């Protein structure tokens, strides 16, 4: 029996140990939420979660609500500590990817919110997870607190997804709403988004549409059966070309402008694009305001499903991460006890696709 499996078996009676990589906006939210809801999670899900290590770069930073004794700046200390689940919240492609691979090797399942990594290397990571018998949850990587990954992978598992249409970037939507409702110029609206914490100091990743394209790539990978990389090409137009006059002209036609990511099947495969488009005021996405996200999924059998809510932010994103952690923890426990986790819990959990071990 492999070392990791032996370690898992011996762990059946103890709390599920969590190693957290990163203690920034989402990481800190996760640590606080896991601690605040520890008793409730145990009562409802039957698993006790124990955050044992938290990786940071700077040990001297103030991190209210986080026990300093958990902090380390040594990634090996976390990954080789024997934790059951590693929660990757440092972001970026590397070292995040390497740390996730290493976690699989040391027998841990992984939960991540890292859309950039999944869009760039998700398929390889999923293969590696499956090969090492590990699981990876990533609900939080798309639309933060909106359980869209679970909706596609579980809710629509019995249907065929025809199209995805979504406002996947809160920064763009906040900027467009300010322009539309207060007649702000584009640059002023971006500055206001920065002042209010809805845009980075360098807003290019959001404003130029790359962030939305990364999220669309993940959703398409989950919901569409595409065969070639050419089918996965996303036509991308950012927000910079939208001016006040465009918004005024749209309004005169009874329409609004939204920055929308679209994927739909065509006779040749699929059409994927991210662009500012005009929508009738009655369209569901037209009513999505400020920094919120919204997604319309169209299933062949079920028709349109509409999701909206907070697509980012410390707590909404941390809640989605925690849901994945609970689901994996239940599943680990179920596997050790020779059964699957209770169906009702799994179905009601907004946890993400868990690939790897069945
Ligand atoms: N923020 C959101 O609303 C949101 C929403 C959805 C998804 N996400 C995703 O969640 C992930 C985390 O985002 P965030 O906003 O929480 O990021 P963040 O605030 O920048 O936090 C990153 C954390 O990782 C640590 N870190 C970074 N590089 C490291 C390294 N090489 N070694 C050790 N520690 C390192 C940082 O340490 P120090 O604190 O010491 O600098 C910090 O604690 C990203 O993948 C992001 O795309 C975020």
């Amino acid at each position: 029996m492999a070392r990791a499996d032996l370690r898992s078996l011996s762990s059946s009676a103890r709390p599920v140990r969590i190693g957290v990589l990163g203690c920034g906006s989402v990481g800190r939210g996760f640590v606080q939420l896991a601690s605040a809801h520890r008793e409730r999670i145990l009562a409802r899900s039957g698993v006790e979660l124990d955050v044992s290590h938290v990786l940071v770069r700077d040990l001297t930073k103030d991190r209210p609500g986080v026990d300093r004794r958990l902090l380390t700046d040594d990634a090996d200390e976390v990954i080789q500590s024997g934790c059951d689940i590693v929660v990757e919240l440092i972001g970026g492609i590397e070292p995040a990817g390497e740390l996730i691979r290493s976690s699989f090797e040391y027998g841990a399942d992984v939960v991540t919110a890292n859309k950039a990594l999944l869009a760039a290397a998700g398929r390889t990571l999923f293969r590696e997870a499956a090969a090492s018998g590990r699981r990876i949850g990533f609900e939080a990587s798309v639309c933060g607190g909106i359980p869209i990954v679970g909706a596609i992978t579980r809710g629509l598992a019995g249907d065929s997804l025809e199209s995805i249409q979504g406002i996947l970037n809160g920064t763009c939507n906040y900027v467009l709403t300010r322009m539309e409702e207060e007649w702000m110029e584009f640059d002023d609206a971006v500055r206001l988004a920065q002042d209010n914490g809805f845009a980075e100091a360098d807003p290019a990743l959001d404003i130029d549409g790359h962030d939305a394209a990364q999220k669309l790539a993940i959703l398409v990978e989950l919901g569409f059966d595409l065969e070639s990389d050419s089918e996965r090409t996303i036509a991308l137009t950012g927000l910079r070309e939208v001016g006040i006059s465009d918004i005024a002209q749209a309004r005169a036609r009874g329409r609004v402008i939204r920055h929308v990511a679209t994927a739909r099947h065509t006779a040749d495969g699929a059409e994927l694009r991210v662009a500012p488009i005009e929508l009738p005021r009655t369209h569901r996405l037209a009513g999505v305001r400020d920094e919120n996200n919204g997604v319309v999924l169209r299933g062949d059998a079920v028709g349109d499903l509409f999701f909206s809510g907070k697509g980012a932010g410390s707590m909404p994103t941390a809640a989605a991460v925690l849901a994945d952690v609970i689901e994996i923890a239940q599943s680990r426990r179920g596997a050790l006890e020779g059964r699957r986790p209770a169906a009702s819990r799994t179905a009601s959990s907004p946890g993400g696709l868990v690939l790897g071990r069945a």
Side-chain angles (χ1 to χ4, degrees):
M1 187 175 283
R3 186 179 58 160
D5 291 334
L6 275 173
R7 196 173 53 74
S8 293
L9 270 176
S10 68
S11 69
S12 60
R14 59 166 172 76
V16 176
R17 280 196 303 248
I18 317 289
V20 185
L21 310 178
C23 192
S25 174
V26 184
R28 196 157 72 81
F30 172 79
V31 173
Q32 290 175 336
L33 217 51
S35 161
H37 294 313
R38 189 177 162 130
E39 296 303 322
R40 190 185 58 81
I41 292 166
L42 176 59
R44 286 183 57 180
S45 314
V47 288
E48 187 173 5
L49 303 181
D50 174 26
V51 173
S52 59
H53 294 79
V54 179
L55 177 73
V56 295
R57 247 180 328 211
D58 180 355
L59 286 168
T60 65
K61 253 190 212 172
D62 198 24
R63 301 177 200 272
V66 177
D67 183 345
R68 297 198 75 83
R69 290 169 299 181
L70 300 177
L71 300 181
T72 173
D73 58 1
D74 178 358
D76 288 345
E77 191 187 326
V78 183
I79 289 165
Q80 298 175 17
S81 67
C83 52
D84 303 294
I85 301 174
V86 168
V87 176
E88 184 281 303
L89 296 171
I90 63 178
I93 310 286
E94 295 299 348
E98 202 40 54
L99 295 176
I100 289 177
R101 289 186 191 95
S102 209
S103 303
F104 293 152
E105 277 170 32
Y106 277 86
D109 295 309
V110 169
V111 174
T112 179
N114 194 333
K115 59 204 158 233
L117 176 63
L118 291 179
R123 268 181 293 157
T124 318
L125 277 178
F126 298 151
R127 265 201 303 274
E128 288 171 5
S132 53
R134 305 271 57 100
R135 304 155 65 97
I136 176 163
F138 53 94
E139 178 63 70
S141 65
V142 185
C143 293
I146 304 174
I148 197 71
V149 169
I152 292 178
T153 56
R154 277 198 297 275
L156 291 175
D159 201 351
S160 161
L161 187 61
E162 287 185 353
S163 66
I164 302 168
Q165 203 178 22
I167 294 171
L168 304 183
N169 184 272
T171 306
C172 285
N173 208 53
Y174 184 86
V175 167
L176 278 174
T177 311
R178 295 283 71 75
M179 291 171 77
E180 181 185 287
E181 296 184 1
E182 292 164 42
W183 296 111
M184 285 183 128
E185 293 294 343
F186 175 81
D187 289 339
D188 295 333
V190 171
R191 261 193 298 278
L192 187 66
Q194 288 167 324
D195 291 347
N196 288 331
F198 299 128
E200 301 288 337
D202 176 5
L205 195 67
D206 296 314
I207 293 301
D208 293 332
H210 302 292
D211 175 82
Q214 288 171 348
K215 293 168 180 166
L216 184 66
I218 295 170
L219 295 183
V220 165
E221 204 59 50
L222 298 175
F224 283 34
D225 299 316
L226 301 183
E227 280 165 14
S228 66
D229 281 345
S230 63
E231 287 179 303
R232 295 185 176 87
T233 306
I234 299 174
L236 184 58
T237 310
L239 204 59
R240 292 181 203 267
E241 65 180 42
V242 178
I244 278 291
S245 59
D246 300 304
I247 288 179
Q249 284 165 22
R251 176 176 287 195
R253 288 189 283 269
R255 299 166 83 86
V256 297
I257 297 180
R258 291 287 180 266
H259 197 238
V260 177
T262 307
R264 61 170 59 94
H265 287 294
T266 65
D268 307 325
E271 178 192 310
L272 313 182
R273 72 180 167 128
V274 173
I277 60 172
E278 280 190 20
L279 296 171
R281 286 203 162 274
T282 49
H283 194 286
R284 288 185 178 92
L285 295 180
V288 177
R289 296 176 58 249
D290 297 324
E291 74 278 16
N292 291 307
N293 284 187
V295 185
V296 180
L297 300 179
R298 178 166 296 172
D300 179 39
V302 78
D304 281 1
L305 299 172
F306 176 51
F307 302 79
S308 71
K310 293 197 190 313
S314 174
M315 285 304 177
T317 311
V321 172
L322 184 54
D324 273 352
V325 166
I326 294 168
E327 186 177 342
I328 290 181
Q330 282 183 299
S331 172
R332 283 182 81 100
R333 213 188 53 149
L336 289 169
E337 292 171 1
R339 62 171 173 75
R340 307 282 299 160
S344 59
R345 294 282 185 232
T346 311
S348 66
S349 158
L353 176 69
V354 181
L355 291 166
R357 201 174 44 193

